[in-house]
Amino acid sequence: MVMCRMKSWIALWCVCCAFSSAFAGSGTTLREAFRDKFLIGAALNVRQVVSKDEALQSLIREQFSSVVAENCMKAEEVQPEEGHFDFTDGDRLCDLAEKNGQVVIGHCLIWHSQAPKWFFKDKDGNTVSKEVLIQRMKDHIYKVVGHYKGRVKGWDVVNEAIEGNGEFRKSPFYKIIGPEFIRLAFQFAHEADPDVELYYNDYGMDSPRKREAVVRMVQDLKAHGCRIDAVGMQSHLSFDTPLDEYEKSMEAFAAAGVKVMVTELDLSVLPWPKGNFGAAVETNFAYKQAMDPYKDGLSEEKAKELNDFYTKLFDIYLRHSKDISRVTFWGVTDGDSWKNNWPIHGRTDYPLAFDRDMKPKPFVQTIIEMAESGRYAE
Ligand code: GLA
């Protein structure tokens, strides 16, 4: 009996040591280190929200000051059938965040992807009229924003409405309503909760033409008296992302009079399939061994490249911290990242701050020290 109790104490001590050794030397966490700079967040999936794994829960609680739902607040999840709303998982996320003292970001209201099929069709399967789609947008936004009033700090109101070449994406919203669907979405969200912050969110924001189009959109919204608090730069990055252009976009959005948010940060180390197919989440390519080079572990060289790239990124974020209100990683640990399955299913990627064993990568300590010491300014 005594032996048994001793064994469990030793086991507990080992678990504690393993966990705290992850942060040895710094004694602090991302959440603490960036406290006065910007919110630092993570996207959570439902499995993580309900997980009883105490190591995972303390990692989420200690490292992040903000959380966002990876999927469960999207239209196809929240309103799978017209008029039938399901807020169960989103409510669970809010409960967890409130327990942890974290800010919740709502993602996302109007997006062509992960929208339920019925949204754009009438009962005979024909495309709905402009009036009907506007009414559906209004009902959806009123109900969802209304439900989370007081619990969500801000919403990604419109996601991915602009193409890389600066043109409007020819989504069903655009085709049926025209470009004013963007303005209407912001207007409805503001009517539903005048206190909630409102954001435009998109990927590939290092593209100069996209940058200019987003700036025009912000100006247009403001000219029409709409509220817009921030532009979200998703930031699904690779080593090829031109950081000078990326930084120029941050500066351009800030100059347009909105805050900048890094909303879905991850950095893929894997090769990209040939061909120009954009970044549509529904795209998928067949698995090939050659496209999955780090299945058994990341090479030292690539690990260094990843740490260096993340350090450069946070140098940019810290230098612009007066314009940045949040930096959110798109996931907690590498094992949970969508990048393992997109654009090729079943690969092994290493895109996040914490590895498959929940250990922080070396850059985490580096950026904590940069934030605390102020050693980043040029
Ligand atoms: C986009 C969306 C996110 C998520 C990612 C892929 O960036 O905004 O909600 O679906 O794609 O995981």
Side-chain angles (χ1 to χ4, degrees):
M1 180 66 182
V2 176
M3 211 39 204
C4 210
R5 208 173 275 160
M6 262 179 68
K7 270 191 197 152
S8 45
W9 273 111
I10 292 170
L12 185 66
W13 182 77
C14 290
V15 170
C16 291
C17 285
F19 191 71
S20 59
S21 73
F23 302 102
S26 93
T28 192
T29 64
L30 289 170
R31 182 175 182 165
E32 285 172 20
F34 286 87
R35 193 179 55 240
D36 301 327
K37 307 290 183 200
F38 38 71
L39 292 169
I40 187 113
L44 302 184
N45 60 37
V46 176
R47 192 188 54 71
Q48 291 162 329
V49 170
V50 301
S51 171
K52 300 265 180 280
D53 179 343
E54 192 33 49
L56 174 68
Q57 290 303 342
S58 35
L59 178 97
I60 293 170
R61 183 175 61 245
E62 286 166 13
Q63 298 294 332
F64 302 107
S65 49
S66 169
V67 292
V68 57
E70 184 168 0
N71 287 304
C72 70
M73 290 192 189
K74 291 174 179 169
E76 71 176 4
E77 302 275 337
V78 167
Q79 197 184 177
E81 288 169 50
E82 186 165 18
H84 291 121
F85 289 85
D86 184 351
F87 296 115
T88 320
D89 291 331
D91 288 351
R92 287 188 178 128
L93 177 105
C94 292
D95 293 343
L96 178 74
E98 284 159 12
K99 215 170 74 197
N100 290 346
Q102 291 161 321
V103 167
V104 179
I105 303 298
H107 173 80
C108 50
L109 296 171
I110 296 298
W111 186 28
H112 62 280
S113 187
Q114 292 185 262
K117 298 262 176 308
W118 65 261
F119 218 95
F120 309 107
K121 301 277 177 207
D122 67 13
K123 60 178 181 358
D124 302 319
N126 299 316
T127 302
V128 289
S129 67
K130 177 172 176 169
E131 290 67 33
V132 169
L133 188 55
I134 291 176
Q135 189 60 46
R136 286 183 179 176
M137 270 182 40
K138 184 172 182 176
D139 293 343
H140 183 76
I141 293 174
Y142 267 46
K143 188 83 180 182
V144 178
V145 174
H147 179 84
Y148 288 109
K149 203 171 170 160
R151 304 191 87 184
V152 161
K153 182 184 169 73
W155 279 97
D156 290 333
V157 179
V158 174
N159 202 25
E160 304 180 353
I162 308 277
E163 299 276 14
N165 62 7
E167 288 176 15
F168 285 107
R169 176 186 300 284
K170 306 300 177 286
S171 72
F173 291 108
Y174 178 87
K175 286 202 246 176
I176 300 170
I177 301 176
E180 66 267 33
F181 86 87
I182 299 173
R183 214 184 300 145
L184 288 168
F186 277 83
Q187 182 195 314
F188 296 149
H190 186 57
E191 286 165 5
D193 181 357
D195 295 326
V196 83
E197 292 187 355
L198 306 179
Y199 320 129
Y200 174 74
N201 192 48
D202 212 329
Y203 65 83
M205 295 290 230
D206 48 278
S207 147
R209 281 197 274 177
K210 191 158 192 160
R211 171 201 307 146
E212 286 155 22
V214 172
V215 167
R216 279 198 300 276
M217 177 199 297
V218 170
Q219 287 163 345
D220 179 74
L221 285 167
K222 285 179 176 269
H224 284 85
C226 294
R227 175 172 185 165
I228 174 164
D229 295 273
V231 166
M233 300 172 68
Q234 288 186 5
S235 309
H236 296 295
L237 306 179
S238 74
F239 295 135
D240 298 331
T241 305
L243 289 184
D244 51 341
E245 294 296 341
Y246 179 80
E247 188 172 354
K248 276 189 205 159
S249 297
M250 290 194 151
E251 287 162 0
F253 301 145
V258 288
K259 286 282 181 196
V260 177
M261 290 180 161
V262 175
T263 53
E264 304 184 15
L265 180 58
D266 51 26
L267 174 60
S268 179
V269 301
L270 294 179
W272 191 246
K274 283 207 176 61
N276 179 11
F277 54 86
V281 282
E282 50 280 3
T283 313
N284 242 286
F285 290 82
Y287 180 89
K288 282 198 203 95
Q289 189 76 52
M291 298 300 278
D292 190 17
Y294 309 113
K295 203 160 192 49
D296 302 321
L298 198 54
S299 65
E300 251 179 55
E301 190 195 347
K302 277 284 159 199
K304 180 171 180 332
E305 211 179 324
L306 180 126
N307 281 295
D308 290 350
F309 199 96
Y310 262 122
T311 306
K312 272 194 221 147
L313 271 177
F314 274 82
D315 183 70
I316 297 176
Y317 300 158
L318 284 164
R319 281 193 282 106
H320 291 280
S321 62
K322 72 168 185 10
D323 296 321
I324 295 181
S325 50
R326 173 170 61 100
V327 174
T328 290
F329 289 92
W330 201 244
V332 179
T333 66
D334 286 342
D336 291 306
S337 169
W338 74 300
K339 297 299 294 184
N340 296 303
N341 294 308
W342 188 88
I344 298 175
H345 193 84
R347 297 198 293 176
T348 304
D349 207 343
Y350 300 80
L352 294 168
F354 294 88
D355 70 14
R356 286 173 168 72
D357 298 320
M358 292 191 257
K359 295 243 169 55
K361 301 195 178 155
F363 81 83
V364 172
Q365 181 58 33
T366 313
I367 64 173
I368 285 176
E369 282 167 14
M370 282 159 63
E372 294 207 308
S373 67
R375 263 187 285 109
Y376 52 83
E378 278 180 338

